[in-house]
Amino acid sequence: MQSVCFIKLKCYVKRLFDLGALKGYLICYILYLMIPAYIVAVDINSGEEILFEKGNVSKAVRASISMPGIFNPVNLNGRWLVDGGLLNPVPVDVLIQKGADIVIAVCIEQKSDQKAQQKVRRPSIIGVLSKTANIIYSHATSDFAQKADIVLYPEVNSYAWDDFHKGNELMRIGMETCRQNIDEIKRLIKTGVGGQGLGVRDHKR
């Protein structure tokens, strides 16, 4: 059963992220974006962090979200690229290097499982890969995020990594988290004085 589920997932992901399909619909270039964007990926062979500052947005994003073991790596300019979160899960340092006066980071932490002591079913192959990535990223994320002036923690722990169809819900949660911290954000913008690791959290936590 696990093998069948894995094959179905691979087929789904191939349809969802096939670069050939994206070319006809998402031709947009990073340099043309209204807000400057920097997208991070990792060269899986050299372990080098790759920063996209120009080029096709969809290809850069596709490379940046290629979680090892779940999504195939992307070959761009002779490099095999995977999820930038392996080295830099919250790339605050990139924005600081690029001259950002104030940095607002969004950090997704996994809460401890309150049902951990209860008997649960054996996790699937994909479930193990997903939870492994979550554990690694959540431990690394806090250290990277502390360089930001404000760190927002949206409540998304009840969502799975593959809840692509719940994008609107996740965006609403993100916007609500911003509204809850809007006074502090406005203060920083008005004064231009960053807190360097102020770590404001969603008040529901």
Side-chain angles (χ1 to χ4, degrees):
M1 178 62 71
Q2 290 183 353
S3 298
V4 173
C5 292
F6 187 65
I7 291 172
K8 287 183 178 180
L9 176 66
K10 288 182 68 176
C11 292
Y12 171 73
V13 170
K14 186 178 186 301
R15 291 197 303 270
L16 185 64
F17 294 115
D18 186 350
L19 287 178
L22 289 176
K23 286 180 181 178
Y25 301 95
L26 297 177
I27 300 178
C28 180
Y29 295 94
I30 295 174
L31 289 177
Y32 297 161
L33 297 175
M34 294 180 64
I35 299 175
Y38 304 98
I39 301 171
V40 178
V42 173
D43 184 324
I44 194 61
N45 290 316
S46 68
E48 179 185 357
E49 180 177 300
I50 306 299
L51 181 64
F52 288 95
E53 301 181 64
K54 59 183 180 179
N56 188 295
V57 173
S58 63
K59 290 183 178 180
V61 171
R62 172 62 177 85
S64 183
I65 64 172
S66 298
M67 188 184 297
I70 297 180
F71 298 146
N72 289 329
V74 174
N75 191 322
L76 289 177
N77 301 321
R79 295 175 179 265
W80 287 102
L81 305 179
V82 296
D83 190 347
L86 287 178
L87 288 179
N88 203 344
V90 185
V92 170
D93 60 320
V94 172
L95 296 182
I96 294 175
Q97 291 169 13
K98 294 301 178 181
D101 297 317
I102 297 171
V103 178
I104 302 173
V106 178
C107 185
I108 301 175
E109 284 186 349
Q110 293 294 313
K111 288 183 177 180
S112 59
D113 189 358
Q114 298 178 348
K115 299 181 180 180
Q117 302 302 321
Q118 298 181 13
K119 184 177 180 180
V120 295
R121 292 187 300 174
R122 179 180 179 181
S124 65
I125 295 174
I126 297 301
V128 170
L129 288 171
S130 175
K131 290 182 180 299
T132 299
N134 284 338
I135 292 170
I136 294 172
Y137 290 169
S138 62
H139 280 280
T141 293
S142 295
D143 292 336
F144 283 85
Q146 293 312 309
K147 295 180 181 179
D149 298 301
I150 295 181
V151 185
L152 303 179
Y153 291 80
E155 290 284 356
V156 293
N157 294 300
S158 60
Y159 293 86
W161 68 272
D162 59 346
D163 281 335
F164 305 116
H165 60 291
K166 297 182 180 179
N168 288 334
E169 294 178 30
L170 291 166
M171 285 188 284
R172 282 195 293 270
I173 292 172
M175 289 187 287
E176 179 59 28
T177 303
C178 286
R179 292 191 187 99
Q180 292 165 1
N181 295 280
I182 196 64
D183 290 340
E184 182 60 28
I185 293 172
K186 287 181 177 179
R187 185 192 68 78
L188 286 175
I189 293 174
K190 183 177 180 179
T191 62
V193 178
Q196 286 301 299
L198 186 60
V200 173
R201 291 171 176 262
D202 181 356
H203 71 263
K204 291 182 180 180
R205 288 179 62 90

